[in-house]
Amino acid sequence: MRLAKYLAQAGIASRRQAEEIIRMGRVKLNGLIVTELATRVNPKTDHIELDDRIVELQQHIYILLNKPPGYISAVNDPWGRPTVLELVKDINKRIYPVGRLDYDTEGLLLLTNDGEFTNLMIHPRYKIEKKYAACVAGKIENTALRTLQNGVYLEDGMTAPAQIHLLSRDDKSSRIELLIHEGRKRQVKRMCAAIGHPVISLKRVAFGFLTLKGVELGNYRYLQENEVHRLKALVLYDEI
Ligand code: URA
């Protein structure tokens, strides 16, 4: 890989800043200063230093958390509310959530220290499907379900077509499942409110092919290597 990419992946700086650092002559490759931006390195065998300190690649970790309501999807909260990081306290790496679930939303949330993976998973260009189970106020009629399915007008534009399944309904409330690939802020809540059925409770039950199977509320598990590859492949396949 290119030297600047290596430095960026090691968490030193962005790739552009890393190039600047290389140009300044602060980086040594196997004991010799390099200023050539096209320099390529082998992370397994090469010895890279910045200002005479060894630079090592971070080991990436990927966690699937079953987030309970009452936790904020952030690394810290100015109002002192509990963050999802408090649920993964025994991990000694600086991880952060991949996208977000609202404070009161529960369900599947990924956490990682891999910035490139995060970008792939949340970039609007890549349409990873997310499945939500929502309990909404009132008895939802078939016409309202069709509106959700075809697209709802929100203040930031029409929502893309979605797959909607009715799970149950009575006079007081209805339970529906929504499969969407956009990731706009508070999207499900805004979609349901727009058709006159505000969300009472919301849970993300799937992210791509990942589900909450085997992970109790408040618990987490590590993703397997092949799951990380499959998630990335979903995105690459989507691009073709
Ligand atoms: N849509 C919402 O409205 N809230 C979430 O937390 C996730 C999706």
Side-chain angles (χ1 to χ4, degrees):
M1 68 168 74
R2 284 169 79 110
L3 181 55
K5 182 174 178 181
Y6 181 96
L7 295 173
Q9 278 196 6
I12 298 296
S14 71
R15 219 180 283 188
R16 192 163 301 162
Q17 289 164 337
E19 288 180 349
E20 194 48 44
I21 290 172
I22 297 168
R23 271 201 215 97
M24 290 161 80
R26 293 170 58 192
V27 181
K28 280 185 190 159
L29 171 60
N30 300 325
L32 296 174
I33 290 178
V34 277
T35 51
E36 178 51 62
L37 294 185
T39 305
R40 298 185 75 83
V41 297
N42 181 338
K44 290 210 178 96
T45 54
D46 283 331
H47 184 83
I48 291 121
E49 290 165 84
L50 167 66
D51 298 335
D52 296 322
R53 284 207 202 112
I54 298 170
V55 179
E56 282 174 322
L57 282 191
Q58 285 183 39
Q59 230 197 343
H60 287 146
I61 58 167
Y62 308 88
I63 282 168
L64 184 162
L65 170 72
N66 188 349
K67 173 194 174 303
Y71 287 83
I72 188 111
S73 302
V75 173
N76 48 49
D77 181 46
W79 291 279
R81 290 172 295 182
T83 76
V84 288
L85 290 192
E86 292 174 32
L87 299 162
V88 290
K89 266 198 176 126
D90 47 339
I91 288 170
N92 59 359
K93 290 213 160 59
R94 284 162 53 148
I95 54 172
Y96 50 84
V98 177
R100 62 193 296 273
L101 290 178
D102 295 336
Y103 180 69
D104 56 354
T105 299
E106 65 179 82
L108 199 161
L109 182 68
L110 297 179
L111 297 119
T112 186
N113 58 351
D114 182 347
E116 287 196 25
F117 173 84
T118 302
N119 288 342
L120 289 178
M121 294 304 114
I122 66 174
H123 198 288
R125 185 168 71 222
Y126 308 122
K127 301 185 170 80
I128 295 201
E129 286 187 326
K130 276 90 59 179
K131 193 193 273 183
Y132 293 91
C135 177
V136 300
K139 184 172 188 175
I140 194 163
E141 299 298 338
N142 292 348
T143 48
L145 291 173
R146 269 195 295 277
T147 308
L148 278 182
Q149 201 154 336
N150 295 335
V152 182
Y153 188 76
L154 301 179
E155 61 196 18
D156 49 358
M158 281 296 272
T159 60
Q163 284 181 45
I164 312 291
H165 289 112
L166 177 66
L167 301 175
S168 66
R169 63 184 161 196
D170 60 33
D171 286 342
K172 286 209 181 90
S173 62
S174 312
R175 289 174 50 242
I176 56 174
E177 233 171 43
L178 306 91
L179 192 65
I180 62 172
H181 61 70
E182 296 173 293
R184 302 196 215 167
K185 211 169 170 205
R186 300 184 66 251
Q187 180 164 346
V188 173
K189 289 182 188 160
R190 290 192 293 138
M191 285 170 74
C192 294
I195 56 153
H197 294 278
V199 164
I200 299 169
S201 65
L202 184 62
K203 176 176 184 169
R204 180 150 74 191
V205 294
F207 183 96
F209 57 85
L210 295 171
T211 68
L212 290 167
K213 192 164 168 249
V215 186
E216 298 288 319
L217 193 65
N219 287 355
Y220 67 89
R221 72 168 175 89
Y222 289 93
L223 292 190
Q224 293 160 6
E225 216 175 301
N226 76 309
E227 290 177 315
V228 176
H229 286 147
R230 278 176 69 199
L231 283 171
K232 290 183 184 169
L234 275 184
V235 164
L236 297 175
Y237 176 75
D238 202 53
E239 268 205 314
I240 294 167

